[in-house]
């Protein structure tokens, strides 16, 4: 019976809530060039285009709800007797809205803003633009979405790596395993002796590193896996 669980989620867990993934045939990167909207260079070249992209995504999330997979993970966190750390690559707020608390947004959150002048972060609900004043320093022209772009360092990596080194169950949900460092977590957990399980619509790029896998929509495979885990819990 595991006593410490680390869960990694990706865009696939939010797909059935109506939020597009990135690399599926109808995914976001099939329609938008990631270099233009998800790199520091793209932001420097055309900040208005980047703000428009995240304003659209921020608004879109407000019109959808957490699904059965998000809810099952929140239940696992509250009912499981051991440690449960949820690390998400997603910048949406669906895990929080489902009730998850022990949660790391390693790629940031688009309902949060970062001021490039004073470095402060602020909760952000509506539209953002270069004209938006920073709620902390009141400076104008420095606000950006608090999202980790390609080429930037993800958040809380030390805490994540410490948890991977000490976990005995690593669960990966709804991620294609294309983007590092997240795609390397399975190997870190594995080398620490953890059992590794993939729950995904299809085998990911890192499928070969998992001890077990269940393929299918997250709203089906995640609640079922959580139910089994909790039934075996003391
Ligand atoms: N249920 C379970 N898995 C699903 C579902 C579903 N309903 N729909 C799609 N998937 C799976 C796909 O098969 C794919 O393996 O989710 C995965 C989504 O992969 P990506 O679109 O590559 O998203 P993700 O892995 O989260 O991307 C990682 O890349 O673009 C950057 O910063 C961005 O955080 C993101 C990172």
């Amino acid at each position: 019976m595991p006593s410490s669980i680390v869960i990694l989620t990706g865009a696939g867990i939010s797909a059935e809530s109506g939020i597009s993934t990135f690399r599926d045939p109808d995914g976001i990167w099939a329609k938008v060039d990631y270099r233009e909207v998800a790199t520091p260079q793209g932001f420097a070249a055309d900040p208005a285009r980047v703000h428009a992209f995240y304003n659209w995504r921020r608004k879109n999330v407000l019109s959808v709800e957490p699904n059965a997979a998000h809810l099952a993970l929140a239940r696992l966190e509250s009912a499981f007797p051991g440690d449960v750390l949820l690390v998400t690559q997603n910048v949406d707020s669906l895990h929080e809205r489902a009730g998850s608390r022990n949660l790391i947004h390693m790629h940031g959150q688009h309902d949060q803003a970062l001021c490039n002048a004073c470095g402060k972060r602020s909760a952000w609900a509506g539209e953002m633009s270069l004209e938006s004043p920073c709620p902390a320093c009141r400076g104008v022209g420095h606000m950006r979405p608090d999202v980790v772009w390609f080429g930037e360092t993800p958040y809380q990596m030390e805490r994540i790596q410490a948890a991977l080194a000490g976990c005995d169950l690593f669960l990966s949900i709804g991620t294609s395993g294309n983007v590092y460092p997240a795609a390397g977590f399975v190997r870190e957990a594995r080398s620490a002796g953890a059992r590794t399980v993939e729950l995904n619509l299809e085998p990911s790029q890192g499928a070969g590193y998992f001890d077990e896998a269940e393929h299918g929509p997250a709203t089906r495979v995640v609640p079922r896996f959580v139910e089994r885990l909790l039934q075996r819990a003391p």
Side-chain angles (χ1 to χ4, degrees):
M1 186 64 214
S3 62
S4 171
I5 305 174
V6 173
I7 304 167
L8 174 69
T9 63
I13 199 169
S14 295
E16 293 161 87
S17 292
I19 299 182
S20 299
T21 63
F22 295 98
R23 291 174 187 79
D24 286 312
D26 59 347
I28 293 176
W29 298 150
K31 299 171 186 135
V32 182
D33 184 336
Y34 75 89
R35 287 164 297 195
E36 292 180 350
V37 295
T39 62
Q41 298 80 1
F43 187 60
D46 190 344
R49 173 173 53 195
V50 174
H51 278 305
F53 176 69
Y54 287 98
N55 289 342
W56 164 71
R57 294 185 65 196
R58 196 176 299 116
K59 199 165 171 209
N60 183 38
V61 167
L62 298 177
S63 64
V64 302
E65 294 299 325
N67 61 48
H70 298 106
L71 295 166
L73 295 184
R75 178 164 172 258
L76 178 63
E77 182 189 323
S78 60
F80 188 72
D83 302 326
V84 177
L85 174 65
L86 179 52
V87 179
T88 188
Q89 298 170 85
N90 301 345
V91 295
D92 66 53
S93 55
L94 296 181
H95 280 305
E96 290 90 334
R97 287 164 55 192
S100 288
R101 294 292 168 265
N102 196 22
L103 170 66
I104 295 176
H105 279 274
M106 69 178 291
H107 292 164
Q109 299 165 246
H110 56 36
D111 59 2
Q112 205 157 273
L114 175 62
C115 175
N116 276 338
C118 72
K120 291 268 178 15
R121 289 182 167 83
S122 324
W124 201 278
E127 303 268 308
M128 192 190 300
S129 73
L130 272 190
E131 285 70 51
S132 306
C134 168
C137 72
R138 308 311 303 164
V140 172
H142 313 293
M143 299 307 287
R144 58 165 280 179
D146 186 22
V147 169
V148 176
W149 287 325
F150 289 95
E152 296 183 323
T153 306
Y155 296 155
Q156 302 199 51
M157 284 305 296
E158 274 181 36
R159 191 176 153 210
I160 296 170
Q161 260 137 10
L164 289 168
C167 72
D168 42 30
L169 174 62
F170 175 73
L171 198 48
S172 176
I173 302 170
T175 183
S176 62
N178 276 287
V179 175
Y180 285 78
F185 291 171
V186 59
R187 272 173 277 177
E188 290 180 52
R190 204 183 164 80
S191 59
R195 171 184 162 215
T196 56
V197 179
E198 173 170 81
L199 304 178
N200 212 49
L201 199 57
E202 61 201 358
S204 72
Q205 295 290 320
Y209 296 109
F210 289 90
D211 300 310
E212 300 157 43
E214 289 184 36
H215 298 124
T219 56
R220 193 177 75 228
V221 294
V222 176
R224 194 171 62 192
F225 186 87
V226 166
E227 198 50 46
R228 276 205 313 269
L229 206 53
L230 290 176
Q231 270 168 7
R232 288 206 305 268

